[in-house]
Amino acid sequence: MTDADIATDTSAGPPADTSADIDIEALRQRALTTLTTARDRTTLLTSCVDEPELTAQHSPLMSPLVWDLAHIGNQEELWLLRAVGGRDPMRPDIDGLYDAFEHPRSERPSLPLLPPEEARQYAAEVRGRVTDVLESHAFRGTRLTDMGFAFGMVAQHEQQHDETMLITHQLRSGPQALTAPDPEPVPLFTGPSEVLVPGGPFTMGTSTEPWALDNERPAHRREVASFHIDTTPVTNGAYLAFIEDGGYDDPRWWTKEGWAHIRRNSVTAPGFWRREAGQWLRRRFGVTEAVPLDEPVVHVCWYEADAYARWAGRRLPTEAEWEKAARHDPTADRSMRYPWGDADPAPEHANLGQRHLRPAPAGSYPAGESPLGVRQLIGDVWEWTSSDFLPYPGFRAFPYKEYSEVFFGPEYKVLRGGSFAVDEVACRGTFRNWDYPIRRQIFSGFRTARSGAV
């Protein structure tokens, strides 16, 4: 996702939840747990490398890790201490340094950033004071405070930056710094290759999920014609067939812009792949390994996903098609929070939260499949759709225009579903991600679709 970096516009947003039967203590505990989970992950990502690695810019596409660390603390101060808690500013002198819209990533290494230890101390002091605010918070009164929205927003923001920092770890050179167990092996998936999603209306987006962000709102009815969608994301093995059939050398499969992009940049395979001694290898967080054929392909840009789909005689699903496949229960004629229902994600449902440092094999997580039998719609890889990032009917920016509104338009393509690098707090059946069609350092894959009921 482009930097979802928070400004301080607290203009009115969607109607507040004024329910009188809210379990305040349960909400308080949820807010604390999600904030703690995010901070534990931030600590892991910034403590596994030394100071020179934290202050270096490992790619012009990314910030130094130390910038992300202090930025996380600064945004938490802006929103939870100043806006919610009414506290005086702690470090107003650094607000400009950590404003992503004031300083693009290319400029950040040259800024007078807080050194690593000072950044850690600042973030820790902010969190200590936020804990005090949380203990007395009433969780109602304004749209920003109702149902703990601000706390959920800040936890999501930190987790989004944790994913960004994990991308930086993938881009950095040098030995392995992070470890995690691999997903459980599963038998080779032998189920149907595609699933029919019947045509008809469904409810897209949400007006009730309390921590949903503005671009997920409001809920509205969409009519979608019948279509088929891949049961699992496209695998490395399937994508390799495209490569070996000359897919990167045949302009028939590419848009004009996509063909120009891959020729200009000499793109011949997914990111981090290379061919050596007759074998395809990939580099993953400092480790070189054979490309696993049964895993969903990752680190492909939108142009590559679109070209593969054309080569396969298919297409990318629209965003509405993807969400209908992921959320619609045709038996009850309702939209669920997740493909498996309304329950929060559990380890048996999806590969989330950096629990593993790779996608799980295609066909994993049968407990997480949709009512129609589509698997791995949540977790593993972000999935490119054919859709531009546009507002829903009735969209209202909240609590600041820079989260979504300034990015609406044809320059960005929508990704859905989350990846293994996404935490559950920043991943829902309605959650929308977006990026430029050339981006592939992100943990992006795809599945394909075709129109019609036969």
Side-chain angles (χ1 to χ4, degrees):
M1 182 177 294
T2 54
D3 257 328
D5 299 315
I6 302 175
T8 54
D9 177 10
T10 56
S11 58
D17 185 326
T18 57
S19 172
D21 58 356
I22 300 169
D23 186 338
I24 296 296
E25 289 310 311
L27 198 53
R28 197 185 318 279
Q29 186 58 50
R30 183 189 179 205
L32 179 61
T33 298
T34 53
L35 288 170
T36 301
T37 298
R39 186 53 47 87
D40 288 346
R41 186 176 176 197
T42 299
T43 300
L44 171 64
L45 290 162
T46 56
S47 63
C48 62
V49 291
D50 58 20
E51 184 166 326
E53 294 272 10
L54 289 174
T55 56
Q57 186 175 43
H58 297 281
S59 165
L61 297 171
M62 312 305 290
S63 307
L65 291 169
V66 73
W67 186 92
D68 287 289
L69 175 59
H71 169 79
I72 285 167
N74 182 247
Q75 295 301 293
E76 188 167 327
E77 184 196 347
L78 287 173
W79 283 104
L80 300 186
L81 293 186
R82 301 186 200 177
V84 173
R87 305 289 182 89
D88 291 334
M90 289 173 55
R91 290 294 303 268
D93 57 305
I94 66 172
D95 289 352
L97 292 176
Y98 298 102
D99 184 335
F101 292 95
E102 185 173 335
H103 298 291
R105 288 174 176 173
S106 59
E107 294 180 4
R108 293 172 191 173
S110 63
L111 298 174
L113 304 176
L114 299 182
E117 189 54 37
E118 189 174 349
R120 288 191 185 98
Q121 291 175 355
Y122 168 63
E125 185 176 354
V126 170
R127 176 55 58 84
R129 297 186 186 190
V130 163
T131 302
D132 292 340
V133 171
L134 182 59
E135 288 177 355
S136 60
H137 186 54
F139 295 103
R140 53 167 57 95
T142 69
R143 176 66 187 94
L144 189 62
T145 58
D146 278 342
M147 298 296 293
F149 175 81
F151 295 94
M153 179 181 69
V154 167
Q156 290 177 80
H157 173 264
E158 182 163 354
Q159 287 285 4
Q160 288 167 340
H161 275 273
D162 289 340
E163 183 176 8
T164 298
M165 289 193 285
L166 189 62
I167 292 169
T168 301
H169 276 279
Q170 170 65 10
L171 288 165
R172 63 178 283 275
S173 59
Q176 181 180 24
L178 293 166
T179 60
D182 286 342
E184 289 293 322
V186 298
L188 182 68
F189 181 69
T190 58
S193 63
E194 64 177 7
V195 169
L196 170 65
V197 180
F202 84 107
T203 299
M204 187 171 185
T206 180
S207 296
T208 58
E209 188 74 28
W211 290 0
L213 303 170
D214 61 0
N215 63 62
E216 302 171 64
R217 300 172 180 271
H220 58 286
R221 295 292 278 178
R222 286 282 183 98
E223 184 78 26
V224 175
S226 297
F227 68 99
H228 289 78
I229 192 166
D230 289 339
T231 307
T232 71
V234 171
T235 63
N236 290 319
Y239 197 85
L240 186 57
F242 168 67
I243 297 174
E244 293 180 341
D245 194 46
Y248 281 90
D249 300 314
D250 192 335
R252 287 182 299 164
W253 313 128
W254 302 82
T255 64
K256 179 181 177 182
E257 297 80 7
W259 181 248
H261 171 71
I262 67 161
R263 305 308 286 181
R264 183 169 57 248
N265 294 281
S266 300
V267 175
T268 59
F272 309 104
W273 285 31
R274 74 173 190 270
R275 190 164 177 80
E276 186 175 293
Q279 183 182 25
W280 281 101
L281 305 175
R282 73 174 180 187
R283 182 172 58 81
R284 183 178 58 84
F285 300 108
V287 175
T288 298
E289 61 190 12
V291 171
L293 300 183
D294 60 345
E295 282 185 14
V297 66
V298 65
H299 298 302
V300 289
C301 70
W302 185 89
Y303 291 131
E304 292 170 291
D306 179 67
Y308 172 94
R310 292 167 188 260
W311 169 82
R314 297 170 69 84
R315 58 177 174 80
L316 295 179
T318 67
E319 183 181 14
E321 287 173 335
W322 188 97
E323 187 167 325
K324 184 171 186 180
R327 298 184 62 215
H328 185 61
D329 180 353
T331 301
D333 190 25
R334 73 180 188 95
S335 289
M336 306 178 299
R337 296 178 68 215
Y338 298 98
W340 55 85
D342 296 330
D344 289 339
E348 66 268 20
H349 292 136
N351 180 10
L352 294 168
Q354 201 179 307
R355 189 168 69 248
H356 311 296
L357 288 171
R358 63 196 306 157
S364 296
Y365 305 106
E369 71 179 19
S370 75
L372 294 172
V374 188
R375 294 196 181 183
Q376 291 169 285
L377 286 156
I378 299 293
D380 286 307
V381 292
W382 285 107
E383 298 185 17
W384 289 109
T385 73
S386 64
S387 299
D388 297 336
F389 184 49
L390 299 171
Y392 289 160
F395 167 84
R396 296 177 66 189
F398 177 79
Y400 58 102
K401 292 182 178 181
E402 289 80 5
Y403 181 72
S404 302
E405 187 173 315
V406 299
F407 299 106
F408 289 145
E411 295 90 352
Y412 296 95
K413 293 295 185 180
V414 173
L415 303 102
R416 300 297 296 264
S419 72
F420 65 87
V422 174
D423 185 80
E424 65 175 81
V425 74
C427 184
R428 294 170 286 278
T430 57
F431 194 94
R432 307 173 75 196
N433 192 0
W434 66 94
D435 217 324
Y436 291 114
I438 63 171
R439 290 288 189 249
R440 62 187 200 150
Q441 81 275 12
I442 59 178
F443 302 111
S444 52
F446 64 101
R447 71 181 74 216
T448 67
R450 66 180 177 91
S451 303
V454 294

